[in-house]
């Protein structure tokens, strides 16, 4: 009996193992069927096989990437200027266009590092023609056949700066400006500056690579003087000095690096099938020398040298602390730093900043207002403020609006460093038709309004929430980070919260922190001569 029972148990065990094995094979088959198409190249490489995805997957991936690239271009491009509403061109029934500028035919697709793209990228002419525009063939042939290294007249070395543009005489050989204007009164011109890993901007005694070269400025001025409607495309991931462009162009559209198919997005923006809804992610100034880090970056004096005095490397002495970008420009304005500025662009802040952080126009207009503010407690983030913002399309065409919320934190002289204003939340609406509105919720955690103070908690360092009034500002498309000044008389664009001081030290950590942050280096000078955690610390 025992032997028979053992045999029966053995059959059950074998049957059970067979079912388990079958289930594992089925699960493995499902996983392979699902994952292999996605990771076929990686799997084939690991197995030493030729990496080859199916044609269907390749074509589907290319189609998706093309669609995404165009959408990113349409929604990410920033309309900086649109004097007289010359854009979109469909409004003026413009069909023929002149395209000037070497970079119009040889545009930057990305940075000089790992974001580089292949040569199959669609050029601007192809994209414009796909939207029904006719491009002046004579001028296009000139710029297309002119290589980037051919042009002269840059402010600094061509190879380093990326300032490549033909002399006016070269354009006149291809077609006179009078004949070009007879072809079309619209001139599209592209400016840009390239850079990336190991290719920072260049500064010399004569200028810098982020300003227009002499040929570029001459061409822009000539187009303006000839009476063209000038549309400037800014094909740069750098913040450039756009003074001459602001002065001579009727419309300015920042397009950044286009990728492979972004030019199609530029074309749909120009003809109005798409409405720009991007916002600047940095302050664009008229003069790079007003930046807090201008003289501490890319300096010939900031170099490591060997015993013979030969430079073997360089470094940047970051001495500006938190005051970079818009935090610098807005704080400097609050402190009256720009009060003595007066130039052709304006006085004070207006003479320094061309376009503030968060700036971006549209082909329509929007009206935003804070309709409600409530608080809630989050286990992960602690106390939070929830701002309910209503955005309404008050213009004549459909578009998307961007909601930006900034905060002014209390500041005490000698206390923890804080900028005049900080971005604390943002959101974007769906496409709104004229007359439509949408409610957007912006959540701000109290812990995100803290500042790190090396002297807090008896010198141990800690995040500190300063006590006092926190003034929240709802920005407009034109104000961006400068909303703290433009919102002074606005009631439905500001909200004030009075908060008590909190020092997040010891057991009282910020809700999202694993442990309370504290100084991890000595705060006093030691034998190495390093005074760490001191804003003026230097290696002596």
């Amino acid at each position: 009996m025992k032997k028979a029972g053992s045999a029966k148990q053995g059959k059950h065990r074998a049957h059970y193992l067979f079912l388990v094995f079958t289930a594992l094979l089925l699960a493995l088959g499902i996983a392979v069927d699902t994952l292999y198409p996605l990771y076929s190249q990686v799997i084939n490489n690991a197995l030493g096989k030729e990496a080859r995805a199916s044609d269907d997957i390749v074509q589907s991936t290319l189609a998706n990437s093309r669609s995404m690239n165009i959408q990113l271009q349409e929604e990410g491009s920033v309309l900086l200027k649109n004097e007289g509403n010359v854009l979109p061109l469909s409004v003026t029934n413009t069909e023929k266009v002149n395209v000037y500028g070497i970079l119009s035919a040889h545009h930057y697709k990305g940075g000089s590092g790992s974001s580089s793209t292949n040569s199959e990228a669609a050029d601007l002419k192809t994209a414009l023609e796909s939207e029904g525009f006719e491009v002046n063939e004579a001028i296009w042939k000139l710029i297309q056949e002119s290589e980037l290294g051919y042009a002269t007249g840059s402010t600094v070395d061509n190879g380093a700066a990326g300032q490549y543009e033909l002399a006016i005489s070269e354009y006149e050989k291809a077609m006179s400006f009078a004949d070009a204007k007879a072809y079309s009164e619209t001139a599209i011109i592209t400016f840009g500056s390239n850079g990336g890993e190991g290719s920072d901007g260049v500064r010399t005694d004569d200028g810098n690579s982020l300003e227009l070269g002499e040929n570029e400025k001459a061409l822009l001025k000539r187009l303006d003087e000839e009476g063209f409607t000038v549309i400037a495309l800014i094909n740069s991931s750098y913040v450039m000095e756009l003074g001459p462009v602001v002065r001579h162009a009727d419309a300015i559209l920042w397009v950044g690096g286009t990728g492979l198919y972004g030019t199609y997005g530029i074309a749909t923006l120009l003809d109005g099938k798409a409405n720009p809804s991007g916002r600047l992610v940095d302050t664009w100034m008229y003069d790079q020398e007003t930046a807090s880090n201008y003289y501490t970056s890319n300096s010939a004096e900031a170099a490591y040298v060997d015993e013979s005095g030969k430079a073997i490397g360089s470094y940047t002495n970051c001495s500006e602390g938190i005051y970079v970008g818009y935090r610098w420009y807005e704080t400097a304005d609050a402190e009256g730093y720009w009060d003595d500025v007066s130039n052709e662009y304006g006085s004070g802040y207006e003479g320094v900043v061309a376009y503030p952080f968060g700036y971006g126009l549209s082909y329509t207009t929007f009206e935003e207002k804070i309709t409600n503010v409530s608080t809630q407690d989050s286990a992960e983030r602690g106390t939070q403020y929830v701002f309910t913002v209503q955005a309404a399309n008050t213009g004549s065409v459909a578009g998307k609006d961007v909601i930006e919320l900034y905060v002014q934190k209390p500041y005490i002289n000698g206390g923890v460093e804080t900028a005049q204003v900080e971005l604390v939340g943002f959101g974007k609406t769906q496409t709104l038709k004229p007359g439509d509105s949408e409610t957007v919720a912006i959540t701000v955690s109290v812990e995100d309004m803290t500042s790190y103070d090396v002297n807090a908690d008896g010198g141990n360092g800690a995040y500190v929430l300063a006590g006092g009034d926190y003034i929240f500002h709802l920005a407009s498309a034109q104000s961006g980070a400068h909303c703290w000044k433009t919102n002074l008389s606005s009631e439905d664009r500001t909200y004030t919260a009075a908060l008590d001081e909190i020092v997040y030290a010891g057991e009282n950590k910020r809700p999202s922190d694993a442990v309370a942050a504290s100084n991890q280096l000595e705060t006093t000078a030691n034998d190495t001569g390093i005074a760490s955690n001191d804003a003026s610390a230097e290696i002596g």
Side-chain angles (χ1 to χ4, degrees), residues 131-168:
E131 289 298 316
F133 291 104
E134 296 179 36
V135 177
N136 188 321
E137 292 286 353
I139 301 174
W140 180 263
K141 185 174 185 293
L142 172 69
I143 61 176
Q144 185 183 44
E145 294 179 354
S146 299
E147 297 183 1
L148 287 180
Y150 169 78
T152 58
S154 63
T155 302
V156 292
D157 178 63
N158 274 347
Q163 293 177 333
Y164 309 105
E165 191 50 76
L166 294 169
I168 288 179

mmCIF file of all heavy atoms in Angstrom, residues 131-168:
data_model
loop_
_atom_site.group_PDB
_atom_site.id
_atom_site.type_symbol
_atom_site.label_atom_id
_atom_site.label_comp_id
_atom_site.label_asym_id
_atom_site.label_seq_id
_atom_site.Cartn_x
_atom_site.Cartn_y
_atom_site.Cartn_z
ATOM 1 N N GLU A 131 3.822 73.354 -46.485
ATOM 2 C CA GLU A 131 2.685 74.140 -46.020
ATOM 3 C C GLU A 131 2.164 75.092 -47.087
ATOM 4 O O GLU A 131 1.334 75.954 -46.802
ATOM 5 C CB GLU A 131 3.070 74.932 -44.771
ATOM 6 C CG GLU A 131 3.268 74.075 -43.535
ATOM 7 C CD GLU A 131 2.002 73.336 -43.134
ATOM 8 O OE1 GLU A 131 0.915 73.968 -43.139
ATOM 9 O OE2 GLU A 131 2.085 72.126 -42.846
ATOM 10 N N GLY A 132 2.668 74.957 -48.313
ATOM 11 C CA GLY A 132 2.153 75.753 -49.406
ATOM 12 C C GLY A 132 2.916 77.027 -49.705
ATOM 13 O O GLY A 132 2.533 77.788 -50.608
ATOM 14 N N PHE A 133 4.004 77.291 -48.972
ATOM 15 C CA PHE A 133 4.804 78.480 -49.250
ATOM 16 C C PHE A 133 5.686 78.245 -50.479
ATOM 17 O O PHE A 133 6.090 77.108 -50.764
ATOM 18 C CB PHE A 133 5.707 78.828 -48.065
ATOM 19 C CG PHE A 133 4.970 79.314 -46.852
ATOM 20 C CD1 PHE A 133 4.783 78.490 -45.756
ATOM 21 C CD2 PHE A 133 4.475 80.614 -46.794
ATOM 22 C CE1 PHE A 133 4.114 78.927 -44.629
ATOM 23 C CE2 PHE A 133 3.799 81.068 -45.678
ATOM 24 C CZ PHE A 133 3.610 80.226 -44.592
ATOM 25 N N GLU A 134 5.988 79.335 -51.191
ATOM 26 C CA GLU A 134 6.953 79.301 -52.284
ATOM 27 C C GLU A 134 8.199 80.064 -51.833
ATOM 28 O O GLU A 134 8.105 81.204 -51.390
ATOM 29 C CB GLU A 134 6.370 79.945 -53.540
ATOM 30 C CG GLU A 134 5.176 79.203 -54.103
ATOM 31 C CD GLU A 134 4.615 79.899 -55.330
ATOM 32 O OE1 GLU A 134 5.413 80.455 -56.129
ATOM 33 O OE2 GLU A 134 3.380 79.929 -55.487
ATOM 34 N N VAL A 135 9.352 79.434 -51.956
ATOM 35 C CA VAL A 135 10.612 80.004 -51.467
ATOM 36 C C VAL A 135 11.430 80.521 -52.646
ATOM 37 O O VAL A 135 11.592 79.824 -53.660
ATOM 38 C CB VAL A 135 11.418 78.959 -50.666
ATOM 39 C CG1 VAL A 135 12.757 79.541 -50.224
ATOM 40 C CG2 VAL A 135 10.613 78.479 -49.463
ATOM 41 N N ASN A 136 11.960 81.727 -52.518
ATOM 42 C CA ASN A 136 12.796 82.338 -53.549
ATOM 43 C C ASN A 136 14.001 81.423 -53.820
ATOM 44 O O ASN A 136 14.881 81.252 -52.971
ATOM 45 C CB ASN A 136 13.272 83.710 -53.070
ATOM 46 C CG ASN A 136 13.994 84.491 -54.153
ATOM 47 O OD1 ASN A 136 14.755 83.944 -54.943
ATOM 48 N ND2 ASN A 136 13.764 85.795 -54.178
ATOM 49 N N GLU A 137 14.028 80.833 -55.017
ATOM 50 C CA GLU A 137 15.041 79.824 -55.362
ATOM 51 C C GLU A 137 16.445 80.420 -55.439
ATOM 52 O O GLU A 137 17.421 79.782 -55.033
ATOM 53 C CB GLU A 137 14.685 79.160 -56.690
ATOM 54 C CG GLU A 137 13.438 78.299 -56.653
ATOM 55 C CD GLU A 137 13.657 76.970 -55.938
ATOM 56 O OE1 GLU A 137 14.814 76.675 -55.583
ATOM 57 O OE2 GLU A 137 12.669 76.252 -55.747
ATOM 58 N N ALA A 138 16.576 81.649 -55.950
ATOM 59 C CA ALA A 138 17.909 82.233 -56.146
ATOM 60 C C ALA A 138 18.626 82.445 -54.817
ATOM 61 O O ALA A 138 19.807 82.115 -54.673
ATOM 62 C CB ALA A 138 17.776 83.556 -56.905
ATOM 63 N N ILE A 139 17.918 82.996 -53.841
ATOM 64 C CA ILE A 139 18.546 83.238 -52.538
ATOM 65 C C ILE A 139 18.787 81.925 -51.821
ATOM 66 O O ILE A 139 19.831 81.727 -51.192
ATOM 67 C CB ILE A 139 17.673 84.179 -51.691
ATOM 68 C CG1 ILE A 139 17.476 85.507 -52.404
ATOM 69 C CG2 ILE A 139 18.310 84.416 -50.321
ATOM 70 C CD1 ILE A 139 16.519 86.440 -51.704
ATOM 71 N N TRP A 140 17.818 81.003 -51.925
ATOM 72 C CA TRP A 140 17.999 79.717 -51.241
ATOM 73 C C TRP A 140 19.209 78.959 -51.796
ATOM 74 O O TRP A 140 19.974 78.362 -51.037
ATOM 75 C CB TRP A 140 16.745 78.847 -51.380
ATOM 76 C CG TRP A 140 16.919 77.519 -50.689
ATOM 77 C CD1 TRP A 140 17.281 76.334 -51.252
ATOM 78 C CD2 TRP A 140 16.795 77.277 -49.284
ATOM 79 N NE1 TRP A 140 17.390 75.355 -50.293
ATOM 80 C CE2 TRP A 140 17.085 75.904 -49.079
ATOM 81 C CE3 TRP A 140 16.463 78.069 -48.198
ATOM 82 C CZ2 TRP A 140 17.044 75.326 -47.812
ATOM 83 C CZ3 TRP A 140 16.424 77.491 -46.931
ATOM 84 C CH2 TRP A 140 16.713 76.136 -46.742
ATOM 85 N N LYS A 141 19.384 78.969 -53.094
ATOM 86 C CA LYS A 141 20.528 78.289 -53.709
ATOM 87 C C LYS A 141 21.841 78.864 -53.174
ATOM 88 O O LYS A 141 22.796 78.128 -52.903
ATOM 89 C CB LYS A 141 20.467 78.441 -55.225
ATOM 90 C CG LYS A 141 21.536 77.676 -55.992
ATOM 91 C CD LYS A 141 21.293 77.784 -57.496
ATOM 92 C CE LYS A 141 22.288 76.933 -58.282
ATOM 93 N NZ LYS A 141 23.673 77.431 -58.169
ATOM 94 N N LEU A 142 21.883 80.171 -52.980
ATOM 95 C CA LEU A 142 23.091 80.807 -52.467
ATOM 96 C C LEU A 142 23.432 80.313 -51.071
ATOM 97 O O LEU A 142 24.562 79.892 -50.812
ATOM 98 C CB LEU A 142 22.919 82.331 -52.450
ATOM 99 C CG LEU A 142 24.035 83.123 -51.752
ATOM 100 C CD1 LEU A 142 25.324 83.043 -52.554
ATOM 101 C CD2 LEU A 142 23.610 84.571 -51.541
ATOM 102 N N ILE A 143 22.466 80.366 -50.167
ATOM 103 C CA ILE A 143 22.759 79.989 -48.775
ATOM 104 C C ILE A 143 22.930 78.483 -48.628
ATOM 105 O O ILE A 143 23.690 78.012 -47.772
ATOM 106 C CB ILE A 143 21.678 80.506 -47.802
ATOM 107 C CG1 ILE A 143 20.304 79.921 -48.134
ATOM 108 C CG2 ILE A 143 21.637 82.027 -47.804
ATOM 109 C CD1 ILE A 143 19.214 80.332 -47.150
ATOM 110 N N GLN A 144 22.250 77.718 -49.463
ATOM 111 C CA GLN A 144 22.382 76.272 -49.367
ATOM 112 C C GLN A 144 23.763 75.812 -49.806
ATOM 113 O O GLN A 144 24.339 74.888 -49.228
ATOM 114 C CB GLN A 144 21.307 75.584 -50.211
ATOM 115 C CG GLN A 144 21.287 74.067 -50.069
ATOM 116 C CD GLN A 144 20.256 73.434 -50.979
ATOM 117 O OE1 GLN A 144 20.131 73.791 -52.148
ATOM 118 N NE2 GLN A 144 19.490 72.495 -50.442
ATOM 119 N N GLU A 145 24.306 76.458 -50.811
ATOM 120 C CA GLU A 145 25.613 76.054 -51.328
ATOM 121 C C GLU A 145 26.772 76.693 -50.564
ATOM 122 O O GLU A 145 27.934 76.367 -50.827
ATOM 123 C CB GLU A 145 25.712 76.404 -52.815
ATOM 124 C CG GLU A 145 24.740 75.608 -53.678
ATOM 125 C CD GLU A 145 24.818 75.975 -55.146
ATOM 126 O OE1 GLU A 145 25.567 76.936 -55.473
ATOM 127 O OE2 GLU A 145 24.149 75.306 -55.965
ATOM 128 N N SER A 146 26.476 77.584 -49.651
ATOM 129 C CA SER A 146 27.519 78.234 -48.851
ATOM 130 C C SER A 146 27.719 77.450 -47.562
ATOM 131 O O SER A 146 26.800 77.303 -46.761
ATOM 132 C CB SER A 146 27.118 79.681 -48.517
ATOM 133 O OG SER A 146 26.961 80.440 -49.684
ATOM 134 N N GLU A 147 28.911 76.931 -47.370
ATOM 135 C CA GLU A 147 29.195 76.154 -46.169
ATOM 136 C C GLU A 147 29.411 77.085 -44.981
ATOM 137 O O GLU A 147 29.780 78.249 -45.123
ATOM 138 C CB GLU A 147 30.419 75.280 -46.389
ATOM 139 C CG GLU A 147 30.225 74.242 -47.493
ATOM 140 C CD GLU A 147 31.438 73.344 -47.639
ATOM 141 O OE1 GLU A 147 32.398 73.547 -46.868
ATOM 142 O OE2 GLU A 147 31.419 72.463 -48.514
ATOM 143 N N LEU A 148 29.218 76.541 -43.783
ATOM 144 C CA LEU A 148 29.291 77.367 -42.578
ATOM 145 C C LEU A 148 30.651 78.027 -42.403
ATOM 146 O O LEU A 148 30.755 79.130 -41.897
ATOM 147 C CB LEU A 148 28.970 76.518 -41.348
ATOM 148 C CG LEU A 148 27.498 76.120 -41.175
ATOM 149 C CD1 LEU A 148 27.327 75.283 -39.922
ATOM 150 C CD2 LEU A 148 26.610 77.335 -41.102
ATOM 151 N N GLY A 149 31.698 77.360 -42.789
ATOM 152 C CA GLY A 149 33.022 77.924 -42.571
ATOM 153 C C GLY A 149 33.439 78.934 -43.619
ATOM 154 O O GLY A 149 34.514 79.510 -43.549
ATOM 155 N N TYR A 150 32.563 79.182 -44.586
ATOM 156 C CA TYR A 150 32.927 80.037 -45.717
ATOM 157 C C TYR A 150 32.815 81.516 -45.393
ATOM 158 O O TYR A 150 33.602 82.339 -45.843
ATOM 159 C CB TYR A 150 32.017 79.690 -46.909
ATOM 160 C CG TYR A 150 32.092 80.661 -48.061
ATOM 161 C CD1 TYR A 150 33.151 80.629 -48.965
ATOM 162 C CD2 TYR A 150 31.094 81.609 -48.245
ATOM 163 C CE1 TYR A 150 33.207 81.516 -50.028
ATOM 164 C CE2 TYR A 150 31.141 82.505 -49.313
ATOM 165 C CZ TYR A 150 32.192 82.453 -50.190
ATOM 166 O OH TYR A 150 32.251 83.332 -51.240
ATOM 167 N N ALA A 151 31.802 81.880 -44.612
ATOM 168 C CA ALA A 151 31.492 83.292 -44.404
ATOM 169 C C ALA A 151 32.486 83.975 -43.481
ATOM 170 O O ALA A 151 33.153 83.358 -42.668
ATOM 171 C CB ALA A 151 30.091 83.434 -43.839
ATOM 172 N N THR A 152 32.577 85.287 -43.628
ATOM 173 C CA THR A 152 33.440 86.085 -42.770
ATOM 174 C C THR A 152 32.615 87.174 -42.094
ATOM 175 O O THR A 152 31.416 87.295 -42.330
ATOM 176 C CB THR A 152 34.565 86.742 -43.586
ATOM 177 O OG1 THR A 152 33.972 87.557 -44.609
ATOM 178 C CG2 THR A 152 35.447 85.695 -44.228
ATOM 179 N N GLY A 153 33.268 87.970 -41.271
ATOM 180 C CA GLY A 153 32.573 89.090 -40.651
ATOM 181 C C GLY A 153 31.998 88.781 -39.298
ATOM 182 O O GLY A 153 31.099 89.469 -38.828
ATOM 183 N N SER A 154 32.482 87.745 -38.619
ATOM 184 C CA SER A 154 31.979 87.443 -37.280
ATOM 185 C C SER A 154 32.724 88.289 -36.250
ATOM 186 O O SER A 154 33.818 88.781 -36.500
ATOM 187 C CB SER A 154 32.152 85.963 -36.951
ATOM 188 O OG SER A 154 33.521 85.635 -36.937
ATOM 189 N N THR A 155 32.103 88.451 -35.096
ATOM 190 C CA THR A 155 32.724 89.248 -34.038
ATOM 191 C C THR A 155 33.935 88.540 -33.464
ATOM 192 O O THR A 155 34.948 89.146 -33.149
ATOM 193 C CB THR A 155 31.705 89.517 -32.918
ATOM 194 O OG1 THR A 155 30.582 90.181 -33.486
ATOM 195 C CG2 THR A 155 32.297 90.401 -31.843
ATOM 196 N N VAL A 156 33.823 87.230 -33.296
ATOM 197 C CA VAL A 156 34.944 86.425 -32.811
ATOM 198 C C VAL A 156 35.173 85.286 -33.795
ATOM 199 O O VAL A 156 34.474 85.166 -34.799
ATOM 200 C CB VAL A 156 34.666 85.873 -31.387
ATOM 201 C CG1 VAL A 156 34.654 87.004 -30.392
ATOM 202 C CG2 VAL A 156 33.363 85.114 -31.334
ATOM 203 N N ASP A 157 36.157 84.454 -33.523
ATOM 204 C CA ASP A 157 36.551 83.399 -34.454
ATOM 205 C C ASP A 157 35.361 82.550 -34.905
ATOM 206 O O ASP A 157 34.587 82.060 -34.093
ATOM 207 C CB ASP A 157 37.590 82.497 -33.784
ATOM 208 C CG ASP A 157 38.007 81.355 -34.683
ATOM 209 O OD1 ASP A 157 38.581 81.629 -35.746
ATOM 210 O OD2 ASP A 157 37.745 80.198 -34.313
ATOM 211 N N ASN A 158 35.209 82.384 -36.216
ATOM 212 C CA ASN A 158 34.076 81.637 -36.763
ATOM 213 C C ASN A 158 33.944 80.239 -36.177
ATOM 214 O O ASN A 158 32.870 79.808 -35.785
ATOM 215 C CB ASN A 158 34.226 81.509 -38.284
ATOM 216 C CG ASN A 158 33.665 82.716 -39.021
ATOM 217 O OD1 ASN A 158 32.966 83.511 -38.436
ATOM 218 N ND2 ASN A 158 33.988 82.829 -40.291
ATOM 219 N N GLY A 159 35.052 79.517 -36.171
ATOM 220 C CA GLY A 159 35.006 78.127 -35.744
ATOM 221 C C GLY A 159 34.528 77.968 -34.319
ATOM 222 O O GLY A 159 33.858 76.992 -33.982
ATOM 223 N N ALA A 160 34.850 78.927 -33.474
ATOM 224 C CA ALA A 160 34.448 78.824 -32.073
ATOM 225 C C ALA A 160 33.073 79.418 -31.830
ATOM 226 O O ALA A 160 32.306 78.930 -31.009
ATOM 227 C CB ALA A 160 35.477 79.527 -31.192
ATOM 228 N N ALA A 161 32.735 80.459 -32.552
ATOM 229 C CA ALA A 161 31.524 81.215 -32.231
ATOM 230 C C ALA A 161 30.283 80.758 -32.961
ATOM 231 O O ALA A 161 29.180 80.861 -32.445
ATOM 232 C CB ALA A 161 31.761 82.696 -32.533
ATOM 233 N N GLY A 162 30.434 80.238 -34.163
ATOM 234 C CA GLY A 162 29.262 79.878 -34.928
ATOM 235 C C GLY A 162 28.612 81.074 -35.584
ATOM 236 O O GLY A 162 27.464 81.021 -35.995
ATOM 237 N N GLN A 163 29.342 82.192 -35.698
ATOM 238 C CA GLN A 163 28.799 83.378 -36.361
ATOM 239 C C GLN A 163 29.198 83.316 -37.837
ATOM 240 O O GLN A 163 30.249 83.793 -38.232
ATOM 241 C CB GLN A 163 29.341 84.656 -35.717
ATOM 242 C CG GLN A 163 28.852 84.868 -34.296
ATOM 243 C CD GLN A 163 29.481 86.098 -33.692
ATOM 244 O OE1 GLN A 163 30.573 86.487 -34.085
ATOM 245 N NE2 GLN A 163 28.823 86.702 -32.726
ATOM 246 N N TYR A 164 28.339 82.714 -38.619
ATOM 247 C CA TYR A 164 28.631 82.551 -40.035
ATOM 248 C C TYR A 164 27.570 83.291 -40.845
ATOM 249 O O TYR A 164 26.393 82.958 -40.783
ATOM 250 C CB TYR A 164 28.593 81.074 -40.424
ATOM 251 C CG TYR A 164 29.418 80.180 -39.534
ATOM 252 C CD1 TYR A 164 28.808 79.363 -38.595
ATOM 253 C CD2 TYR A 164 30.804 80.160 -39.643
ATOM 254 C CE1 TYR A 164 29.569 78.539 -37.784
ATOM 255 C CE2 TYR A 164 31.563 79.341 -38.840
ATOM 256 C CZ TYR A 164 30.946 78.528 -37.902
ATOM 257 O OH TYR A 164 31.696 77.717 -37.104
ATOM 258 N N GLU A 165 27.985 84.263 -41.608
ATOM 259 C CA GLU A 165 27.033 84.952 -42.463
ATOM 260 C C GLU A 165 27.757 85.566 -43.652
ATOM 261 O O GLU A 165 28.890 86.017 -43.537
ATOM 262 C CB GLU A 165 26.269 86.029 -41.699
ATOM 263 C CG GLU A 165 25.090 86.605 -42.459
ATOM 264 C CD GLU A 165 24.208 85.502 -43.016
ATOM 265 O OE1 GLU A 165 23.455 84.896 -42.229
ATOM 266 O OE2 GLU A 165 24.297 85.250 -44.231
ATOM 267 N N LEU A 166 27.067 85.554 -44.762
ATOM 268 C CA LEU A 166 27.619 86.122 -45.987
ATOM 269 C C LEU A 166 27.569 87.649 -45.940
ATOM 270 O O LEU A 166 26.702 88.237 -45.289
ATOM 271 C CB LEU A 166 26.817 85.641 -47.186
ATOM 272 C CG LEU A 166 26.888 84.146 -47.508
ATOM 273 C CD1 LEU A 166 25.824 83.796 -48.538
ATOM 274 C CD2 LEU A 166 28.267 83.765 -48.015
ATOM 275 N N ALA A 167 28.486 88.254 -46.670
ATOM 276 C CA ALA A 167 28.457 89.707 -46.815
ATOM 277 C C ALA A 167 27.278 90.083 -47.716
ATOM 278 O O ALA A 167 26.821 89.292 -48.548
ATOM 279 C CB ALA A 167 29.766 90.197 -47.423
ATOM 280 N N ILE A 168 26.763 91.295 -47.556
ATOM 281 C CA ILE A 168 25.630 91.763 -48.350
ATOM 282 C C ILE A 168 25.933 91.678 -49.844
ATOM 283 O O ILE A 168 25.056 91.353 -50.654
ATOM 284 C CB ILE A 168 25.266 93.200 -47.948
ATOM 285 C CG1 ILE A 168 24.613 93.191 -46.555
ATOM 286 C CG2 ILE A 168 24.323 93.832 -48.962
ATOM 287 C CD1 ILE A 168 24.244 94.562 -46.040
#
